[in-house]
Amino acid sequence: MDLKARLADVDARIVDAARSAGRDPSELTRIVVTKFHPASLIAELRALGVRDVGENRQQELTAKRGDPAVAALGLRWHFIGQGQTNKVRAIRAAADVVHSVDRARLADALDRAGDEGAPVLDVLLQVNLTADPGRGGVAPDGVEQLAAHVAASCPTLRVRGVMGVAPLDEEPAAAFARLAATGESVRRVVPDARWISAGMTGDFAEAIAAGATHLRIGSAITGPRPVHG
Ligand SMILES: *Cc1c(COP(=O)(O)O)cnc(C)c1O
């Protein structure tokens, strides 16, 4: 299968999963994760109608967004990787949505990194769905407090919802159900924060069934990632 066929196949599977869950496929945003692939692949994706792309490393995001092959294509860039406070200026300059806000310090730094008159930045609160506190994301019982902090203290950020990655050692449906519950706790603080970023190549159907609104799909569409040193 080539890129076009893989994209069409994934989109058909998204529609199937949405219909089986009694959901309208048009309410789902399919983000193509292009990490490790060249900007030329993003240009090919754009020609196939893709608008939303995701990157997990700031340097790669910055380089690709500034690449002449894609700069004028009107893409929406999603930063889905671990955020470092010393990179917030570059993240903010290159991302339209940041999916990985998982601590107050990072939110504060992102907030301060906005230039005068910069547009409000859409952010998602990343939830750690594993039992390992060392993984990225805020623990589920800390999400509401983080939402309250961002809403009260970060005027240039807009909390849109939650993001999560299903652990490898658990049924994705169970993990995504927990993520949806944390989304509800965020809405006690920010009532219109309805986005749920969940679902990758291996589990996007389960994520759709659990209410995901933003799917982050890489290899099923792009093919295997180039080996990276
Ligand atoms: C790489 C990545 C994805 C996409 O993974 P695939 O399994 O290739 O679909 C999704 N989310 C995050 C946070 C990632 O880093």
Side-chain angles (χ1 to χ4, degrees):
M1 275 205 279
D2 64 3
L3 187 64
K4 183 177 179 180
R6 286 193 302 264
L7 179 66
D9 178 61
V10 166
D11 283 349
R13 286 157 61 198
I14 290 172
V15 169
D16 280 350
R19 298 235 164 94
S20 330
R23 300 184 59 196
D24 177 355
S26 72
E27 66 191 33
L28 302 175
T29 301
R30 177 255 295 121
I31 300 161
V32 182
V33 177
T34 47
K35 62 189 183 199
F36 302 169
H37 289 281
S40 57
L41 182 98
I42 300 181
E44 283 180 62
L45 287 164
R46 185 72 191 99
L48 296 170
V50 169
R51 271 215 66 189
D52 291 274
V53 294
E55 290 288 336
N56 72 334
R57 297 188 316 159
Q58 172 270 318
Q59 275 173 301
E60 201 174 337
L61 169 71
T62 300
K64 284 186 194 161
R65 186 162 193 163
D67 190 293
V70 295
L73 296 180
L75 291 154
R76 202 155 38 219
W77 297 83
H78 298 256
F79 182 67
I80 62 174
Q82 187 102 32
Q84 289 166 260
T85 49
N86 61 338
K87 304 271 180 67
V88 286
R89 196 153 263 295
I91 293 171
R92 182 123 193 198
D96 299 296
V97 184
V98 174
H99 290 229
S100 45
V101 171
D102 61 359
R103 56 203 189 275
R105 234 163 62 81
L106 178 61
D108 292 341
L110 274 170
D111 182 50
R112 285 193 299 267
D115 290 323
E116 190 77 33
V120 167
L121 180 68
D122 285 330
V123 300
L124 298 171
L125 307 181
Q126 183 178 352
V127 182
N128 183 358
L129 298 172
T130 75
D132 174 0
R135 301 295 293 272
V138 59
D141 64 5
V143 177
E144 192 172 336
Q145 195 186 344
L146 181 58
H149 174 84
V150 178
S153 310
C154 302
T156 75
L157 307 186
R158 178 176 178 196
V159 177
R160 304 305 302 258
V162 291
M163 179 272 221
V165 177
L168 294 173
D169 59 357
E170 184 185 7
E171 280 297 317
F176 292 144
R178 279 204 305 290
L179 183 64
T182 63
E184 280 171 33
S185 74
V186 168
R187 284 195 294 281
R188 284 200 285 270
V189 183
V190 185
D192 66 346
R194 274 186 283 271
W195 294 5
I196 299 177
S197 166
M200 305 169 34
T201 287
D203 57 20
F204 66 81
E206 289 89 343
I208 291 168
T213 61
H214 291 66
L215 315 168
R216 308 179 311 270
I217 304 177
S219 43
I221 294 170
T222 62
R225 283 184 274 279
V227 177
H228 206 268

